[in-house]
Amino acid sequence: GQSLEQPSEVTAVEGAIVQINCTYQTSGFYGLSWYQQHDGGAPTFLSYNALDGLEETGRFSSFLSRSDSYGYLLLQELQMKDSASYFCAVRSYNQGGKLIFGQGTELSVKP
Amino acid sequence: DAGVIQSPRHEVTEMGQEVTLRCKPISGHNSLFWYRQTMMRGLELLIYFNNNVPIDDSGMPEDRFSAKMPNASFSTLKIQPSEPRDSAVYFCASSLKGPSYQETQYFGPGTRLLVL
């Protein structure tokens, strides 16, 4: 089977750096994606890692270690608008390439 | 592009009634996904289509749920009869599936369904 684990809640202050971890168990792992969802909104794509290492997109970075079945999303210079839920999702070719989402981490950014 | 379009945005119905949710994917995309989101179960994939053909419906909860994609620009998810436990937000997403697995799914705004 497949499973993903991420913290349910994280709180940080404006301007800070926060890291949201994701560990996964799956066979036929292909890549790890991150999606952001604001309250009442739809999930939107943030990043995708297929290879080990860090991918940077502006204030957001995502990291993957395939050997450790582990990844994280790093948010820098936090802003109030970053308050949202963040989902990691794995893509497995044993599952026809469909995305399996984690339960999400609710990030609260305080002033 | 208008993005993924879903209708209705909100639906309130009574137990036993038929509910039909509609989705128009982004033009040119060849994959379409139906998800359900609840607090208890998170974001669950119900079914997905590739080139209008259902590929994986293992997430469809039971026979009361059915989905169709008659053409590349339209899909429906039907619940008949509806039950209170079907209350959730239903998202449609589309993507352009290429030779690699690096594909971004674009989600619609969702349909918030409440079954009384």
Side-chain angles (χ1 to χ4, degrees):
Chain A
Q2 299 185 106
S3 67
L4 295 96
E5 287 193 18
Q6 52 180 132
S8 58
E9 295 179 345
V10 172
T11 302
V13 297
E14 263 188 308
I17 299 173
V18 72
Q19 178 173 312
I20 300 174
N21 299 320
C22 175
T23 58
Y24 59 87
Q25 283 188 318
T26 186
S27 57
F29 174 82
Y30 206 94
L32 185 70
S33 300
W34 289 93
Y35 282 75
Q36 178 193 59
Q37 184 179 26
H38 286 98
D39 193 28
T44 56
F45 174 80
L46 289 178
S47 68
Y48 175 78
N49 295 70
L51 303 175
D52 285 358
L54 194 67
E55 295 280 344
E56 298 182 63
T57 309
R59 295 187 297 114
F60 293 2
S61 303
S62 57
F63 172 83
L64 175 66
S65 169
R66 296 173 69 103
S67 60
D68 296 323
S69 297
Y70 163 76
Y72 65 72
L73 180 69
L74 190 73
L75 298 85
Q76 303 183 72
E77 302 172 18
L78 280 175
Q79 302 175 9
M80 298 294 290
K81 66 178 182 178
D82 296 331
S83 293
S85 291
Y86 293 84
F87 295 86
C88 59
V90 295
R91 187 180 300 282
S92 164
Y93 55 77
N94 283 354
Q95 293 287 328
K98 66 185 181 186
L99 279 179
I100 306 297
F101 283 84
Q103 287 294 100
T105 298
E106 185 174 348
L107 171 63
S108 298
V109 180
K110 308 294 186 185
Chain B
D1 200 315
V4 176
I5 298 173
Q6 290 187 247
S7 65
R9 295 290 305 275
H10 302 270
E11 177 81 20
V12 180
T13 190
E14 292 186 345
M15 182 174 63
Q17 296 297 306
E18 177 180 293
V19 174
T20 299
L21 311 181
R22 297 172 176 80
C23 175
K24 176 179 170 54
I26 292 173
S27 177
H29 281 189
N30 56 9
S31 293
L32 183 140
F33 308 81
W34 282 102
Y35 290 90
R36 178 173 66 176
Q37 187 174 38
T38 61
M39 288 294 292
M40 291 297 294
R41 300 176 67 89
L43 195 59
E44 304 173 277
L45 178 67
L46 299 177
I47 184 171
Y48 82 92
F49 296 83
N50 194 36
N51 293 322
N52 312 340
V53 176
I55 301 301
D56 186 341
D57 65 354
S58 59
M60 295 287 261
E62 48 200 272
D63 292 345
R64 297 185 298 107
F65 286 69
S66 62
K68 294 182 180 179
M69 192 165 185
N71 56 61
S73 59
F74 183 66
S75 177
T76 59
L77 178 68
K78 187 174 293 187
I79 309 173
Q80 166 65 9
S82 59
E83 297 182 3
R85 58 190 168 128
D86 301 329
S87 298
V89 181
Y90 291 81
F91 288 104
C92 175
S94 71
S95 71
L96 179 61
K97 188 181 290 290
S100 80
Y101 277 103
Q102 168 43 354
E103 67 179 75
T104 298
Q105 292 189 14
Y106 296 84
F107 284 74
T111 295
R112 282 151 182 78
L113 173 66
L114 177 61
V115 183
L116 302 173

